[in-house]
Amino acid sequence: MQGLQLLVDLVTSMDQQERLDQWLSDWFQRGDKNQDGRMSFEEVQRLLHLMNVEMDQEYAFSLFQTADISQSGTLEGEEFVQFYKALTKRNEVQELFENFSADGQKLTLLEFVDFLQEEQKEKDYAPDLALELINCHEPSDSGKLRHVLSMDGFLSYLCSKDGDIFNPACLPIYQDMTQPLSHYFINSSHNTYLVRDQLCGQSSVEGYIRCSGVEKRALKRGCRCVEVDVWDGPSGEPVVYHGHTLTSRILFKDVVATVAEYAFQTSDYPLILSLENHCSWEQQQTLAQHLTEILGEQLLSTPLDGLLPTQLPSPEQLRGKILVKGKKLETLEQDVEDEDEEEEPECDLEQQQGSELEPELQESFLQSKDKKKVVKCPPFCPPICCQIMTQGPIPDPGGLLLLPMQKLKPILCPALSALVVYLKSVPFHSFSHSKENYHFYEISSFSESKARNLIKEAGNEFVQHNTWQLSRVYPSGLRTDSSNYNPQELWNAGCQMVAMNMQTAGLEMDICDGLFRQNGVCGYVLKPDFLRDVQSSFHPERPISPYKAQTLLVQVISGQQLPKVNNTKEKSIVDPLVKVEIFGIHADTARQETNYVENNGFNPYWGQTLSFRVLVPELATLRFVVKDYDWKSRNEFIGQFTLPWTCMKQGYRHIHLLSRDGISLHPASIFVYISIREELEIES
């Protein structure tokens, strides 16, 4: 494991040139079929097919002869490098270079500053940035001394992170982290313990770390809210699995140990443990014991500084802390008042009717309040329902269990209840009910369909609700295949914890990863100001002024070294096209695509411009997708890259593609020109 980690660290620490050298070496090894350290023209032809390019045989042979300086009829190391350079000559970049170079050989410092200001929109930073970029990317020492940039240096800059579409200023922690938790989008996972489907899939602690075949999942990808469904297990040890299904079981204490180890490896901002508790009284005590003993000082079990707050604490205040989200017997105010008392709280049945019981149980208890005699347990009743001391069950012809109400014991263990501080789970009734009856430290969960309906029916109220209280949205129970919904429409209403099935790659996870790629991948992204204002007039379905519409122009220029879709067919070559997708409010969501380029995945050229009009850019997410055109079936996925509008750089930019699972497809990229124009008139 240590050896593999060293190799991974070595590869990830490579600069652009080192990556290119390694890539060329790999291709040489694949092309040199007889492994004699030389490549014949026949081997070169085979290599071209492997590299996803179809080229005229005469032209390919002319490049081969030019590179064969030794005239041996074969290409060796440096000769192959020259062949590759001729093969990958970027005419579109050469033309751009010559537009700003007076002699066509170099860019002087002033010429490079002009390029950065006019095309890259760097403005006031251009002079200092130009010197920095020359020192970083110019390959010749004499060029660095003279402060000039050669064509090779210019291409190196464009292909590097400095020329990337993702703004490097948005990569580290750059946002204000001192605002209340309710002011942030929080990277959240649903049924984190599952690594496959919701019915028969495997439960594993790996779900909290990574999923098989995926580069980073859950904690290692910056997820800050993980879910734990916990049930009674054998030998008094609680287990984690998807209740009433055939998913496998894992020990709760193993999950907690994994969380303790990996919680802050990627981000040191607070981790939320969403506890779905279905345990008996005795095993709830075991839950509390494991949480306290294994997490130790990481666990937040009392309010910060022992004081009663007036709003949720900030991520900055909670750094390095793990918070438990779950049901709670008392209010935070009572906890602060009684923190010196050791007496266990008594169960207040009427209080629990409104906040602690599942919706179907509330109805049963309300019925029992009128009858004063019995409680009806619903079918498939979870164990937590039946923590009632009885004189024995009374049979009922209807198949329900009738229980006398003579002796009651709290259905929630006080030791476990005490570990819930700022994230007390409460049922949602209405926005007016929440405003009148709930506190800022209480959190409600919504199914995806319930949340969507609320956005349509009361979008502005939902926005205002999410300025002071946290909301968690979870996938429909019908998504047994662990598919995902689009998180964007929930973010539009300010919902903070939009839980995703992170084991399932695809469009929805691309959007989620795109948003949380910024801000140091810390799992917290500050919401736009109109989603943080408690008196906000914003309605995600009907946005009105003062938002100014913007026009986005995307000129899709070219592509580089696109991978094959079907590696089993050596002679198959892709016909690539580029699709640009925008996700935001409903009016802004749009898709456009280029024509396809036939039989060229190596250096396809499109030269097409796509135009989009966007009303609320602060909520927009862009996804660039490259596909292989196929008239017989659906176009096949090649690669993608997704990012927030607010993190996008203008000008000539490379977009480095990722696989379906979020793994880099280096050196595969597309070359684009990005321009944003703001409308002068305010939209009404």
Side-chain angles (χ1 to χ4, degrees):
M1 288 295 293
Q2 291 176 341
L4 289 173
Q5 189 60 53
L6 285 172
L7 287 173
V8 170
D9 293 342
L10 176 64
V11 172
T12 54
S13 65
M14 286 181 176
D15 61 25
Q16 186 71 17
Q17 187 58 48
E18 288 173 329
R19 283 173 178 263
L20 180 60
D21 292 343
Q22 182 62 50
W23 187 77
L24 282 174
S25 176
D26 292 343
W27 276 117
F28 189 88
Q29 294 295 325
R30 293 178 65 180
D32 184 13
K33 199 167 185 177
N34 59 7
Q35 297 295 301
D36 63 352
R38 303 166 180 266
M39 288 183 63
S40 66
F41 182 64
E42 288 73 21
E43 289 175 319
V44 166
Q45 285 181 298
R46 175 177 173 271
L47 177 64
L48 291 178
H49 280 285
L50 289 174
M51 297 177 86
N52 215 0
V53 61
E54 187 172 272
M55 184 177 290
D56 177 78
Q57 186 168 341
E58 291 185 8
Y59 178 61
F61 188 64
S62 67
L63 293 180
F64 180 89
Q65 287 183 313
T66 303
D68 183 17
I69 300 174
S70 64
Q71 297 184 346
S72 62
T74 59
L75 299 182
E76 299 183 34
E78 186 58 33
E79 292 175 333
F80 177 72
V81 172
Q82 295 306 314
F83 172 76
Y84 170 80
K85 285 187 176 181
L87 187 67
T88 57
K89 184 177 180 181
R90 301 277 300 275
N91 292 327
E92 74 278 15
V93 176
Q94 183 71 42
E95 183 179 343
L96 178 62
F97 180 82
E98 291 174 356
N99 286 342
F100 283 86
S101 172
D103 60 5
Q105 301 298 314
K106 64 182 182 303
L107 286 176
T108 66
L109 181 59
L110 291 179
E111 289 170 343
F112 191 35
V113 168
D114 288 342
F115 171 76
L116 294 176
Q117 289 178 332
E118 294 176 22
E119 301 295 352
Q120 307 298 79
K121 313 301 180 188
E122 298 292 357
K123 299 180 181 178
D124 299 336
Y125 305 104
D128 291 336
L129 182 61
L131 276 173
E132 181 182 330
L133 293 175
I134 289 173
N135 288 330
C136 182
H137 297 288
E138 173 54 40
S140 71
D141 293 335
S142 62
K144 292 177 182 178
L145 289 173
R146 293 185 295 132
H147 302 317
V148 298
L149 196 64
S150 64
M151 175 60 194
D152 286 343
F154 184 65
L155 182 59
S156 173
Y157 152 66
L158 288 176
C159 293
S160 72
K161 289 183 178 180
D162 296 311
D164 196 273
I165 191 172
F166 199 98
N167 189 345
C170 297
L171 291 174
I173 302 289
Y174 73 99
Q175 295 181 330
D176 178 10
M177 303 301 289
T178 63
Q179 300 196 29
L181 287 178
S182 55
H183 287 188
Y184 297 84
F185 296 124
I186 303 172
N187 196 352
S188 303
S189 169
H190 174 247
N191 286 354
T192 315
Y193 47 88
L194 291 179
V195 295
R196 286 187 298 171
D197 65 82
Q198 307 284 310
L199 294 179
C200 305
Q202 180 186 3
S203 300
S204 171
V205 294
E206 285 293 308
Y208 294 87
I209 310 168
R210 66 176 70 84
C211 288
S212 177
V214 181
E215 186 177 28
K216 291 183 179 178
R217 286 290 178 244
L219 295 176
K220 282 203 167 184
R221 76 191 301 160
C223 182
R224 294 291 85 192
C225 176
V226 295
E227 186 178 11
V228 186
D229 277 322
V230 60
W231 301 78
D232 280 359
S235 305
E237 282 293 341
V239 294
V240 174
Y241 80 108
H242 197 198
H244 308 301
T245 68
L246 299 178
T247 57
S248 61
R249 293 157 168 77
I250 52 178
L251 291 176
F252 175 74
K253 63 181 180 181
D254 290 344
V255 170
V256 178
T258 300
V259 168
E261 181 178 358
Y262 291 97
F264 304 109
Q265 285 196 5
T266 300
S267 169
D268 60 357
Y269 285 103
L271 175 69
I272 296 168
L273 204 60
S274 183
L275 194 63
E276 299 298 323
N277 170 25
H278 307 278
C279 288
S280 63
W281 174 277
E282 290 76 17
Q283 294 211 13
Q284 286 182 48
Q285 291 181 308
T286 305
L287 294 180
Q289 180 180 352
H290 286 330
L291 288 168
T292 304
E293 293 180 357
I294 297 174
L295 297 181
E297 294 184 358
Q298 291 180 325
L299 180 66
L300 183 79
S301 56
T302 59
L304 295 174
D305 302 323
L307 302 175
L308 182 64
T310 57
Q311 63 179 11
L312 284 168
S314 69
E316 186 64 35
Q317 290 175 297
L318 295 168
R319 282 181 100 145
K321 291 296 182 182
I322 297 174
L323 285 69
V324 175
K325 167 192 166 294
K327 300 184 185 300
K328 186 175 179 65
L329 292 173
E330 293 189 337
T331 65
L332 186 60
E333 288 82 356
Q334 290 171 311
D335 275 354
V336 173
E337 290 174 5
D338 302 338
E339 62 180 353
D340 295 329
E341 299 180 13
E342 296 182 359
E343 183 178 352
E344 289 189 355
E346 296 182 359
C347 176
D348 184 340
L349 179 58
E350 293 191 20
Q351 175 189 344
Q352 292 194 27
Q353 287 173 9
S355 60
E356 301 305 330
L357 304 179
E358 302 293 337
E360 61 267 30
L361 300 186
Q362 292 180 34
E363 183 178 352
S364 299
F365 271 109
L366 290 173
Q367 291 173 358
S368 70
K369 183 180 178 185
D370 294 333
K371 297 179 181 179
K372 302 294 184 183
K373 290 183 179 180
V374 299
V375 170
K376 289 188 177 182
C377 292
F380 306 109
C381 159
I384 196 172
C385 167
C386 299
Q387 299 304 307
I388 301 175
M389 301 300 291
T390 73
Q391 295 180 349
I394 301 174
D396 177 71
L400 299 178
L401 184 67
L402 304 184
L403 302 175
M405 292 280 291
Q406 294 181 359
K407 296 181 181 179
L408 292 178
K409 191 174 183 179
I411 61 172
L412 183 61
C413 169
L416 185 59
S417 169
L419 300 182
V420 177
V421 182
Y422 295 116
L423 299 169
K424 177 183 177 181
S425 297
V426 294
F428 176 81
H429 301 287
S430 69
F431 293 120
S432 59
H433 176 271
S434 296
K435 189 179 296 184
E436 293 169 4
N437 297 280
Y438 287 160
H439 304 83
F440 62 86
Y441 54 81
E442 292 169 319
I443 174 173
S444 298
S445 292
F446 306 85
S447 67
E448 59 174 287
S449 57
K450 175 69 172 178
R452 284 198 190 101
N453 289 335
L454 286 172
I455 292 173
K456 288 182 172 63
E457 297 166 3
N460 178 245
E461 289 181 84
F462 209 171
V463 167
Q464 292 184 357
H465 172 85
N466 288 327
T467 63
W468 65 278
Q469 193 177 65
L470 290 169
S471 293
R472 180 178 180 270
V473 183
Y474 56 89
S476 165
L478 298 177
R479 296 184 181 274
T480 56
D481 59 349
S482 294
S483 61
N484 280 304
Y485 51 88
N486 187 339
Q488 185 69 55
E489 54 187 319
L490 291 316
W491 293 333
N492 293 343
C495 296
Q496 300 89 347
M497 299 159 67
V498 181
M500 306 291 288
N501 288 312
M502 292 192 168
Q503 69 271 41
T504 306
L507 164 67
E508 296 80 10
M509 275 311 304
D510 292 344
I511 295 172
C512 182
D513 287 340
L515 176 72
F516 291 106
R517 185 167 284 116
Q518 62 182 308
N519 208 34
V521 199
C522 75
Y524 288 84
V525 170
L526 189 65
K527 297 193 288 187
D529 54 2
F530 54 83
L531 293 182
R532 308 195 307 263
D533 181 2
V534 71
Q535 297 180 331
S536 174
S537 61
F538 180 76
H539 193 302
E541 297 288 301
R542 298 183 295 276
I544 57 175
S545 58
Y547 309 108
K548 291 184 179 181
Q550 294 184 351
T551 299
L552 170 67
L553 298 176
V554 180
Q555 182 186 4
V556 183
I557 302 172
S558 62
Q560 295 77 43
Q561 290 91 53
L562 304 178
K564 282 178 176 287
V565 173
N566 191 345
N567 286 319
T568 61
K569 297 181 181 179
E570 184 175 298
K571 293 186 177 181
S572 68
I573 296 175
V574 300
D575 305 321
L577 61 85
V578 177
K579 179 183 287 188
V580 180
E581 303 172 321
I582 295 185
F583 302 93
I585 63 168
H586 181 72
D588 291 343
T589 301
R591 295 176 175 87
Q592 294 183 46
E593 64 183 42
T594 67
N595 298 327
Y596 68 91
V597 174
E598 190 173 0
N599 288 335
N600 189 351
F602 189 74
N603 54 358
Y605 181 84
W606 293 282
Q608 289 181 251
T609 300
L610 311 177
S611 177
F612 302 88
R613 185 172 180 270
V614 179
L615 290 173
V616 189
E618 296 92 336
L619 287 174
T621 301
L622 281 84
R623 183 172 183 252
F624 297 85
V625 193
V626 182
K627 293 196 170 185
D628 179 17
Y629 172 77
D630 190 339
W631 65 273
K632 294 180 293 185
S633 61
R634 295 181 61 183
N635 298 333
E636 293 189 80
F637 176 91
I638 295 177
Q640 65 82 30
F641 188 79
T642 309
L643 77 163
W645 177 292
T646 53
C647 296
M648 180 174 56
K649 294 283 283 184
Q650 296 188 64
Y652 289 94
R653 302 291 172 183
H654 276 89
I655 300 172
H656 299 278
L657 299 177
L658 304 175
S659 71
R660 193 180 298 276
D661 292 330
I663 300 173
S664 173
L665 292 175
H666 180 86
S669 66
I670 55 176
F671 187 46
V672 300
Y673 180 73
I674 302 291
S675 177
I676 299 174
R677 194 170 62 239
E678 188 171 285
E679 293 187 3
L680 297 178
E681 295 183 4
I682 296 178
E683 292 299 311
S684 61

